[in-house]
Amino acid sequence: MLNESTGEVLFYKVSSTPSDPSEAILVGAREMLKEFQVKAADVSFIGHGTTVATNLIIERKGAKTALITTKGFRDVLEIGRQTRPHLYDYQVHNPPVLVPRALRFEVSERLDSGGKELSAVDMAEVDAIIEKLIEADVKAVAICFLHSYINPAHEAVVRDRLRERLPDLYVTASADLLPEFREFERLSTTVLNSYSGPRMQTYLDRLANNVSSLGSTVTPYTIHSNGGLMSIPTVRQFPVRTCLSGPAAGVVGAAVVAKEAGFENVLTFDVGGTSTDVSVIVDGQPQFTSNRTVADYPVKTPMVDIHVIGAGGGSIASIDDAGALKVGPHSAGAVPGPVAYGRGGDKPTVTDANVVLHRLSPVTLLNGKLKVEEDDARRVLQHRVAAPLDLALEDAAVGILRITNANMGRAIRSVSTERGHDLSKFALMAFGGAGPLHACDVAAECGIPTVIIPREPGTMCARGILLSDISLDFVRTLIKTATPSAWDAVTQNFAEMRAEGAAWLEGEKVEADLRRYVQVVEVRYEGQNFEVAVAVPSDTEMSLADFLAEFAKGHHAEYGYDIPGRAVEIVNCRIKAVGLVPKPHNDFHPDNLGTIDGARIGSRTVLFSAKSGRIETPIYERSRMPLETAFSGPAIIEEMSSTTVIPPEAKFHVDRAGNIIISNMKAV
């Protein structure tokens, strides 16, 4: 919560409620307002992140959905690209098709590749399909016609007829959502939007009602996958754009906080209960992609480029069929959670291992709000891991953490080293409830010299929402050789898209002087299959020659070479319409220096590695730690939303913005 008058930022955290995510938001907001004595009527802005759409897709719990497509193309959704993610692994299967063949309908209509009509829409077929939709009790429909990205007229006719006949049906036309070529990805994204739409609407209604019940008249905004904010009406229309909602907010917040701390090249390391999300920030800017999958389904909308693995505090440790120890990807989640939380969990998790090793408090967490059952954690680790592997209990716990850290290290290298980044030139920004627990070990393993732990790291994604702007992405496919006439078409496209963006920002009630536009052209050499993104200034004219020079530079950076003399092909024009919102300034007061003795609240014996054995380790309360004062490990730093583990020999201090800066980590 941000006080816009003073710049003060306040933090609070409650447990998740997986059965209804909006319930935790209501409880957290109500308790936070009470805790800090703020009236709901005084709140001027509410932003939230959600994984509801993602969970619907992962758990296959979306609405009953039908597809209407061009005659002869209903099986594109199932055929896909016919690619195998792991060529020699016969146990890898494609995810189930979300629309069964019986609900994939074809319409006689056709456009050519230039958008010219070859056959009009057969409306008698459309009306017959509507009768079948009623009979099948379908709740959502996706419409995706061939070449509709260049001419949306046929999709619009069918969309309007559906809404006229079935006003309660959730309908997505691909040209409204993603007017971009590559029909399989466009089709998959459109289906996912409709599949998640009806239940997302129900969730948004509950959220709005919960906010009203607090006594607030504010309509909540939702952060979406590109790190911007959308109003509820826009989320209703494009729920698939929220698939990386929460994690994207964390990256946006990390970029701002790291830059304030003097670090522009940063790897974000967000560890929660179920997953680890990693991303790279270069020169202070998050990286974006429009090619990724959610639960193995292609989603082609602009997103912060985040790599997700199934490794978190709730990841379950088990013995595989070969008798080896494995950790994740399955998780105990928030309910029942780790055994140490005393909520009915019966499987050993990463959190239980941290409790046994005393890296986490064996008594309470969340400032005493969550009681910890160390004896239960010890029993389940002994029974399920140590005894079957004939290991000492503590060795089993260390093994669980080493496997977890290795998995996290691989995820970091996949977004950095494998893309040409030198890890020795980056800092690791660790957040999420479990990020600071593992950060030093992972940084040492990856050769990252510095770790940054922001204030209240368990709430960084929420803090990131307060650092985000309102935004929405628009795209148009061009596919023209880069000639002067094609460059004129690019200029014309951007002018029209800026007008679209301005109209959307007007609907979002953004003042004209707070509007900005970010323009990108996706371009490739002729004969290539994938594009390089080249930024095009929105406030000054860029010549074709300058554009081609920037493309050559970008191609060389991404692939290690460029091809002088080869014809260049312009593929997509993208624009992000941005509405600036007030940002919290640094409210950390350096006059609250504290003392080392005053920050120390106790000690306990902590096991950092098999070599170190148990070490008597000081415990510090973060809010009392003095600024710009050198400390040495080992140390445990506790705060409401997270615990930071600092191993022996590491050096650390709290900077003037309140971040913990750690260096000199040694690989175990």
Side-chain angles (χ1 to χ4, degrees), residues 122-143:
D122 188 329
M123 295 307 295
E125 288 183 355
V126 173
D127 289 332
I129 289 169
I130 289 174
E131 296 303 322
K132 293 178 181 178
L133 296 177
I134 296 171
E135 184 180 343
D137 194 27
V138 165
K139 304 299 182 185
V141 171
I143 308 168

Side-chain angles (χ1 to χ4, degrees), residues 241-262:
R241 293 179 183 247
T242 68
C243 280
L244 284 179
S245 174
V251 176
V252 170
V256 175
V257 172
K259 194 168 186 178
E260 289 176 350

